[in-house]
Amino acid sequence: MKKKTLSQNIGIMAMFIAIGLILQYIENQLPIISVPGGKLGLANTITLLNLFMFGGGNTLVIAIIRATLGSLLSGGVTSIFYSVSGVFFSTIAMWLTKKWLYPKVSMIGLSIIGAAVHNTAQVFVAAFMFSTWYVFSYLPGLLVFSVFCGIATGYCTELLIKRVFKGDILLCGK
Amino acid sequence: MSLTKCDKLIIVAILILSIIIYVLFNLNIFTSGAEMVEIRVNSKLYASYKLSEISDEITVNINTEYGDNTLKLSKKAVWMTGSSCADKLDVKCGAISKPNQTIICVPNKVSVTIKGSQKNSIDKVTY
């Protein structure tokens, strides 16, 4: 695939923000599954996909814009802190893991790490906001939940790259 | 779908971590028995109740500038019945009854924690 110009890249990034927002919206319509505060993290598939397309920096920008807009659309202003910090740390964790361990850790592993770090970061923010350590009693449930969600979204991303991009994604944006 | 060795390692590590945290919060090494309920709004103490002094179910309305919540207390458990927030996660997460368990309502900045009593070394020892 040919090298893309800056404006082409910006266009593609904007498209991914839009897709992420829609996925977040669809996810919010689904009933909550057993664990308080837990959700599937469908938009994480987009973050993971972008990591392979654009590398870490651009992905971080896409993810943070998506999280900010998403929480403005669905919740209040306070939820911005939670979702942006979650997305920030999970993207960085996935980026570093991919950089150092990628072929050894598959896409599913990356996605599990992303989900787990996302939840952990949010619990830390909650602990800070409420200035109590007791919110950590939510963490075990969330971590177990994030393993399953990570497997699901990681598998989705694998399929996405195989079916939609015919495995060509690694060449994009280079 | 294929999990590599590293993937499995990550999954096991996360599961072990969650078990450790769960045990830390539920073994109650330092405390025993639910005693107090603390309601905090914006991390300031709003009200606290002694569970042993509650004879019947009581309803607590938490009305602040951040929003309104309705809390029910009984001798054994605490649960939210209503909230003015959008997602109602605090209502959905149900009743809590053990020390260190917490209900939080993020939009309204409300947290409800059950506190255990400090272990008394003499009164509880049996041979």
Side-chain angles (χ1 to χ4, degrees):
Chain A
M1 199 173 275
K2 266 188 282 177
K3 186 178 167 23
K4 292 199 164 49
T5 62
L6 178 67
S7 47
Q8 270 175 324
N9 259 338
I10 289 176
I12 294 174
M13 282 163 70
M15 184 189 78
F16 277 116
I17 293 172
I19 297 175
L21 274 176
I22 290 176
L23 286 180
Q24 253 184 342
Y25 181 77
I26 293 172
E27 190 179 84
N28 283 340
Q29 309 305 310
L30 299 174
I32 308 253
I33 323 153
S34 71
V35 183
K39 50 177 196 165
L40 195 48
L42 276 178
N44 201 30
T45 55
I46 298 299
T47 309
L48 201 51
L49 186 67
N50 290 344
L51 267 183
F52 283 91
M53 290 182 76
F54 305 116
N58 286 350
T59 305
L60 205 55
V61 172
I62 295 174
I64 287 176
I65 293 176
R66 193 252 304 152
T68 313
L69 289 176
S71 49
L72 280 179
L73 280 178
S74 61
V77 188
T78 42
S79 64
I80 288 181
F81 294 112
Y82 291 91
S83 55
V84 169
S85 65
V87 150
F88 180 78
F89 287 107
S90 77
T91 308
I92 285 183
M94 287 195 289
W95 179 15
L96 294 180
T97 318
K98 180 192 162 256
K99 210 166 160 186
W100 292 328
L101 292 170
Y102 169 57
K104 277 193 218 156
V105 175
S106 75
M107 217 154 282
I108 295 169
L110 288 179
S111 154
I112 293 170
I113 285 179
V117 171
H118 190 278
N119 284 326
T120 313
Q122 285 190 326
V123 171
F124 266 101
V125 172
F128 179 73
M129 296 268 240
F130 288 88
S131 50
T132 165
W133 293 103
Y134 294 116
V135 285
F136 279 90
S137 57
Y138 282 102
L139 195 53
L142 284 172
L143 281 179
V144 173
F145 189 65
S146 72
V147 168
F148 291 106
C149 293
I151 291 173
T153 55
Y155 186 52
C156 276
T157 318
E158 248 182 30
L159 280 185
L160 199 66
I161 291 179
K162 233 183 257 168
R163 299 271 164 83
V164 180
F165 297 93
K166 311 266 189 276
D168 203 13
I169 195 105
L170 298 173
L171 298 171
C172 295
K174 273 205 175 148
Chain B
M1 186 170 117
S2 57
L3 293 173
T4 64
K5 215 173 172 184
C6 255
D7 289 349
K8 285 172 192 158
L9 219 64
I10 290 168
I11 294 175
V12 170
I14 291 175
L15 291 182
I16 288 175
L17 186 71
S18 66
I19 289 170
I20 290 173
I21 300 171
Y22 182 81
V23 167
L24 278 180
F25 271 93
N26 287 275
L27 264 191
N28 303 316
I29 304 163
F30 305 111
T31 55
S32 64
E35 193 186 40
M36 297 273 290
V37 178
E38 261 187 25
I39 304 164
R40 285 176 183 272
V41 179
N42 200 11
S43 68
K44 282 188 206 77
L45 194 64
Y46 180 86
S48 66
Y49 295 88
K50 270 213 162 97
L51 280 174
S52 53
E53 288 171 4
I54 297 168
S55 52
D56 212 357
E57 275 182 23
I58 57 171
T59 308
V60 183
N61 288 309
I62 308 163
N63 302 324
T64 61
E65 53 190 303
Y66 306 109
D68 306 324
N69 292 68
T70 318
L71 187 73
K72 283 252 189 189
L73 303 172
S74 78
K75 228 183 172 88
K76 294 217 170 102
V78 183
W79 64 100
M80 283 280 188
T81 52
S83 170
S84 63
C85 64
D87 51 15
K88 305 262 188 295
L89 279 180
D90 49 350
V91 179
K92 280 174 194 156
C93 83
I96 56 172
S97 56
K98 289 186 197 139
N100 296 348
Q101 284 185 323
T102 302
I103 301 174
I104 57 172
C105 175
V106 171
N108 295 357
K109 302 191 179 181
V110 174
S111 71
V112 180
T113 309
I114 295 187
K115 300 258 166 147
S117 52
Q118 296 296 316
K119 248 185 192 157
N120 189 319
S121 54
I122 296 169
D123 284 348
K124 298 275 166 68
V125 174
T126 50
Y127 293 100

